[in-house]
Amino acid sequence: MTKEKMQPKVQTIWWEESPEPTICMLDQSLLPHQVVYLRHTHEQQVADAIKALKVRGAPVIGITAAFGIALAFSRLFRVQAESLSTTDIQKHLVTVCELFCHTRPTAVNLFAAVEHMQHCAKTVLREQGSLQYLAQKLYHEAQSMADEDFDACLKMGAYGVDLIADGDILLTHCNAGTLATVGWGTGLAPIYAAHRAGKRIHIFVDETRPVLQGARLTAWELQQEGIPLTLITDNMAGHFMRHGGIKAVFVGADRITCNGDVANKIGTYSLAVLAHAHHIPFYVVAPRSTIDLSLPSGEHIPIEQRDPREVTFIHDQHIAPVGVKAANPAFDVTPHMYVSAIITDMGIARPPYSTTLHSLYKANKSVKM
Amino acid sequence: MTKEKMQPKVQTIWWEESPEPTICMLDQSLLPHQVVYLRHTHEQQVADAIKALKVRGAPVIGITAAFGIALAFSRLFRVQAESLSTTDIQKHLVTVCELFCHTRPTAVNLFAAVEHMQHCAKTVLREQGSLQYLAQKLYHEAQSMADEDFDACLKMGAYGVDLIADGDILLTHCNAGTLATVGWGTGLAPIYAAHRAGKRIHIFVDETRPVLQGARLTAWELQQEGIPLTLITDNMAGHFMRHGGIKAVFVGADRITCNGDVANKIGTYSLAVLAHAHHIPFYVVAPRSTIDLSLPSGEHIPIEQRDPREVTFIHDQHIAPVGVKAANPAFDVTPHMYVSAIITDMGIARPPYSTTLHSLYKANKSVKM
């Protein structure tokens, strides 16, 4: 299949060069009821879009910031090519990087992307590169990050597709799809690959309280792709594992530790235990950047506690009594014993993960992603 | 403890005799944000209240209908005591019973209550009882149904309280409390009993999508009673079973079959499997009227499929893409292997239920509830 044919029907973010450098992005904050593409020609607009959650999903936030920094220098070159000293450009770099670092406080991919772009710019400046060269270099760097993400999604899809048979009914949680990446996503990548390969599949989609990413985002993007789905409340998963013929569960991950423990959206652990009880394979799909071999196990992952109002309110509606206490852990940790396989862009790891994840890294050490 | 001391802080429905016969009820459709008590002096108002879900919960719907029928004849006696023939009264009986039968289409307790009241009225009329006597008799019958429900709740509480220790953290699903009965409820009865007995307990309350009975009703009534609680989304249950120190799960039931299989609100089955995986006791609390010894197992219980809009909408907010398919089974069936004990008003049944439930019935055959 050509790369063009592998494009998802939904594109989250991309760069256009003419008539002027522009970052185009789907406004995810309006989904699923309005499909609006934004065109940004100023880095401030891009930063505001990240801040306003118009773009979300860890990988895509990092890529957006990288494109935003590239946009800043392309614009700078167009506006005042002749008048800037290296010191001025260095100052501008600091300002722009700070702009993006202040958009989302806890987005690891964001900081990594900003740091990478900053490092790249400093190298160019140290080598006395022109502003035009710097702008081009930063654009190519951002685009290559996007391409790497796209390719990683394709690879996860290619590795995972063999785990899906024609006619399978599958279940997914949260949004680990196109909307979180520039490609097919992570948890959904094998599902897209299976669909494109002509396998007839049906997806049960957990609505994923409290923020409803399943209902709002996953249901929408599968609908765009023409993949048949049934939306369910999270508490129906067990019932449909017992009676709905579910053959496998596919989820993404926020972080995977050395031993194969998986931190992911709250509710993932319950699903994994239910899948285990029903002898249904539970697959975690994530690129190598999600795997943190420095952490021995999931106990070492701190659990982010979010605003309880996400539980007691739905949009503006207060659904609980005033003054009631609510818990809102953002994610949970699934112990490796419940994970049937970890599908990465380097290949598939099976238990024992403490051995197999390392082996995948070793085998792929020389290969650039 | 005196019976007065055993009154829950929230009263769902009661009868007042003066200044004129009145049915007082809490308008549950406004909970948790407004606490409004309605006073109805006409049976039509009572029927409308059932229809508009101002009163809900199977046991309390039956009792409300019984009180409504009694109210109809008390009112009739006051308005036109002298002018009615037995035939007129019989016609009135048919009209009133039909009025209540048309309020909710699938409420088994409702039909049983109406049938019981009708049977009782026919007996009085056959024996040529006066309209005054008929009105009194019907009121006493309705009140005695309410008293029986109240007593059954107390008994379930008394049997279940020994399963709760001082300091326990417990989990419940949906609303199986005061708001569904005239007493302490079913699933919550042991919890109220433990609290009244001075045991310090903390309750995790599943919000219970799609209709959010946990967030709207259970959280509210526990708050009224002063029982500490934490509201969670349904998909957090596994996480808190693993990390939150949950010692037992208490739920109600819609129907229990001969072998101990339990039909209850959707999500109950997932909870039961999760509790089993965490070695946490899973208790079902229900009065004898919920146990259907004529059904051999849960496979014979048809699953009501409700409007998918309950899943795709929350109140008036459309949370999913237009045209998306959603599933909405109203309840699920938990196989008896996941049920640690069934707490009834006749005592506690432990596995094997096909023997122990029968034994409870036999031992209680001569005892009026």
Side-chain angles (χ1 to χ4, degrees):
Chain A
M1 239 185 261
T2 66
K3 199 158 173 179
E4 214 152 80
K5 279 201 180 144
M6 311 299 267
Q7 280 289 352
K9 296 231 168 109
V10 174
Q11 265 194 284
T12 310
I13 181 165
W14 70 98
W15 176 283
E16 286 186 6
E17 194 54 43
S18 67
E20 62 182 315
T22 303
I23 295 174
C24 308
M25 61 168 73
L26 177 59
D27 184 348
Q28 297 192 37
S29 69
L30 300 175
L31 291 178
H33 301 306
Q34 289 180 64
V35 180
V36 174
Y37 285 94
L38 305 169
R39 298 178 63 83
H40 296 317
T41 53
H42 194 294
E43 64 273 18
Q44 182 68 52
Q45 296 172 311
V46 179
D48 290 346
I50 297 175
K51 205 180 273 184
L53 308 179
K54 292 181 181 184
V55 59
R56 35 67 55 200
V60 102
I61 284 177
I63 290 162
T64 305
F67 272 133
I69 292 168
L71 185 69
F73 286 88
S74 287
R75 199 181 55 76
L76 193 65
F77 170 66
R78 286 166 51 88
V79 182
Q80 42 192 18
E82 303 308 317
S83 59
L84 288 176
S85 69
T86 303
T87 317
D88 286 337
I89 296 173
Q90 277 166 337
K91 273 189 195 158
H92 192 64
L93 178 65
V94 171
T95 310
V96 169
C97 289
E98 271 185 5
L99 171 69
F100 283 97
C101 280
H102 284 93
T103 49
R104 290 285 295 274
T106 53
V108 178
N109 292 53
L110 172 72
F111 302 131
V114 171
E115 203 172 309
H116 178 76
M117 295 297 280
Q118 193 161 27
H119 176 78
C120 171
K122 280 181 182 166
T123 307
V124 171
L125 292 174
R126 207 165 36 239
E127 291 165 359
Q128 313 262 315
S130 69
L131 179 56
Q132 179 173 23
Y133 177 70
L134 175 64
Q136 278 169 358
K137 179 81 187 154
L138 289 176
Y139 158 68
H140 285 296
E141 207 56 39
Q143 186 59 53
S144 121
M145 285 172 67
D147 291 345
E148 276 172 18
D149 180 69
F150 183 85
D151 288 345
C153 293
L154 275 190
K155 282 179 187 154
M156 290 183 278
Y159 284 119
V161 70
D162 293 338
L163 303 170
I164 301 174
D166 185 37
D168 271 1
I169 298 170
L170 310 166
L171 187 147
T172 190
H173 188 68
C174 195
N175 179 258
T178 292
L179 292 170
T181 62
V182 295
W184 279 349
T186 55
L188 294 188
I191 287 171
Y192 281 109
H195 178 69
R196 292 284 174 107
K199 294 181 183 176
R200 289 156 299 176
I201 51 177
H202 188 102
I203 317 298
F204 277 91
V205 176
D206 273 359
E207 65 174 1
T208 319
R209 279 280 287 149
V211 185
L212 296 166
Q213 293 94 337
R216 293 188 298 109
L217 305 177
T218 301
W220 182 81
E221 66 165 270
L222 292 178
Q223 207 184 34
Q224 301 309 303
E225 184 73 19
I227 300 177
L229 72 113
T230 301
L231 179 65
I232 59 171
T233 60
D234 301 306
N235 62 16
M236 293 176 190
H239 174 73
F240 284 109
M241 284 186 190
R242 188 148 179 259
H243 297 290
I246 291 168
K247 289 280 185 278
V249 179
F250 283 85
V251 297
D254 283 284
R255 212 189 308 193
I256 298 172
T257 57
C258 188
N259 67 341
D261 290 353
V262 174
N264 191 43
K265 183 65 60 206
I266 186 71
T268 303
Y269 171 61
S270 288
L271 267 191
V273 174
L274 288 167
H276 189 257
H278 292 85
H279 312 292
I280 293 172
F282 185 84
Y283 298 125
V284 175
V285 193
R288 68 188 78 186
S289 56
T290 301
I291 301 165
D292 185 350
L293 291 181
S294 72
L295 279 184
S297 75
E299 293 150 42
H300 299 83
I301 303 176
I303 305 263
E304 178 195 354
Q305 303 296 328
R306 293 179 58 83
D307 190 342
R309 289 169 58 100
E310 287 183 351
V311 173
T312 56
F313 283 76
I314 295 179
H315 300 299
D316 300 332
Q317 305 224 19
H318 198 180
I319 59 160
V322 173
V324 88
K325 183 185 159 195
N328 192 13
F331 56 88
D332 55 31
V333 175
T334 299
H336 57 88
M337 68 161 281
Y338 294 109
V339 180
S340 311
I342 298 173
I343 301 157
T344 78
D345 54 309
M346 305 176 290
I348 297 181
R350 296 269 184 183
Y353 297 109
S354 44
T355 311
T356 55
L357 286 176
H358 268 290
S359 303
L360 277 186
Y361 268 90
K362 250 187 229 163
N364 285 268
K365 214 164 53 178
S366 56
V367 185
K368 189 168 160 31
M369 188 170 68
Chain B
M1 239 185 262
T2 65
K3 199 158 174 178
E4 215 151 79
K5 280 202 181 146
M6 311 299 267
Q7 278 290 350
K9 296 231 168 108
V10 173
Q11 264 194 285
T12 311
I13 182 166
W14 70 97
W15 176 282
E16 286 186 5
E17 194 55 43
S18 66
E20 62 182 314
T22 303
I23 295 173
C24 308
M25 61 167 74
L26 177 58
D27 184 348
Q28 297 192 37
S29 69
L30 301 176
L31 291 177
H33 301 306
Q34 289 180 61
V35 180
V36 174
Y37 285 94
L38 306 169
R39 298 179 62 85
H40 296 315
T41 54
H42 195 294
E43 64 274 18
Q44 182 68 50
Q45 297 171 310
V46 180
D48 290 345
I50 298 175
K51 206 180 274 184
L53 308 179
K54 292 182 180 183
V55 59
R56 38 63 59 199
V60 101
I61 285 177
I63 291 163
T64 304
F67 271 133
I69 293 168
L71 185 69
F73 286 90
S74 287
R75 198 180 57 74
L76 192 66
F77 170 66
R78 285 165 53 87
V79 185
Q80 44 192 15
E82 302 307 318
S83 59
L84 289 176
S85 69
T86 302
T87 315
D88 287 336
I89 296 173
Q90 275 165 339
K91 274 188 195 157
H92 192 64
L93 178 64
V94 171
T95 311
V96 169
C97 289
E98 271 185 6
L99 172 69
F100 284 97
C101 280
H102 284 91
T103 49
R104 290 283 295 275
T106 53
V108 177
N109 291 53
L110 171 74
F111 302 131
V114 170
E115 203 171 309
H116 178 76
M117 295 297 280
Q118 193 162 28
H119 175 78
C120 171
K122 279 180 183 166
T123 307
V124 171
L125 292 174
R126 206 165 38 239
E127 290 165 0
Q128 313 264 316
S130 68
L131 179 56
Q132 178 171 24
Y133 177 71
L134 175 64
Q136 278 169 356
K137 179 80 187 156
L138 289 176
Y139 159 69
H140 284 296
E141 206 57 38
Q143 187 58 55
S144 121
M145 284 172 68
D147 291 346
E148 276 173 18
D149 180 68
F150 183 87
D151 288 345
C153 293
L154 274 190
K155 281 179 187 156
M156 289 183 280
Y159 285 119
V161 71
D162 293 338
L163 302 170
I164 300 174
D166 185 36
D168 271 2
I169 298 170
L170 309 167
L171 187 147
T172 190
H173 188 68
C174 196
N175 179 259
T178 293
L179 291 170
T181 61
V182 294
W184 278 350
T186 55
L188 295 188
I191 287 172
Y192 281 109
H195 178 68
R196 292 285 173 107
K199 295 181 183 176
R200 289 156 298 175
I201 50 177
H202 188 102
I203 317 298
F204 277 91
V205 177
D206 273 359
E207 65 175 2
T208 319
R209 279 278 288 149
V211 185
L212 296 166
Q213 293 94 337
R216 293 188 298 109
L217 305 177
T218 301
W220 182 80
E221 67 165 271
L222 292 178
Q223 206 183 34
Q224 301 310 303
E225 184 75 17
I227 300 176
L229 73 113
T230 301
L231 180 64
I232 59 172
T233 60
D234 301 305
N235 61 16
M236 294 175 189
H239 174 73
F240 284 109
M241 284 186 190
R242 188 149 177 258
H243 296 290
I246 290 168
K247 288 281 185 277
V249 178
F250 284 86
V251 297
D254 283 285
R255 212 189 307 193
I256 298 172
T257 57
C258 186
N259 67 341
D261 289 353
V262 174
N264 192 42
K265 182 65 61 205
I266 187 71
T268 303
Y269 170 61
S270 288
L271 267 192
V273 173
L274 287 167
H276 189 258
H278 292 85
H279 311 293
I280 293 172
F282 186 84
Y283 297 125
V284 175
V285 193
R288 65 189 79 185
S289 56
T290 301
I291 301 166
D292 185 349
L293 292 181
S294 72
L295 279 183
S297 76
E299 296 151 40
H300 300 83
I301 303 176
I303 306 263
E304 180 195 352
Q305 303 296 328
R306 291 179 58 83
D307 190 342
R309 289 169 57 98
E310 287 182 351
V311 173
T312 55
F313 283 77
I314 294 179
H315 300 299
D316 299 333
Q317 305 223 19
H318 197 180
I319 58 159
V322 173
V324 88
K325 186 184 156 195
N328 191 13
F331 56 87
D332 55 31
V333 175
T334 299
H336 56 87
M337 68 161 281
Y338 294 108
V339 180
S340 310
I342 298 173
I343 301 157
T344 77
D345 54 309
M346 305 176 291
I348 297 181
R350 297 268 184 184
Y353 297 110
S354 44
T355 312
T356 53
L357 286 176
H358 268 292
S359 303
L360 278 185
Y361 269 89
K362 247 185 232 164
N364 284 269
K365 217 164 51 176
S366 55
V367 185
K368 192 169 160 24
M369 188 170 68

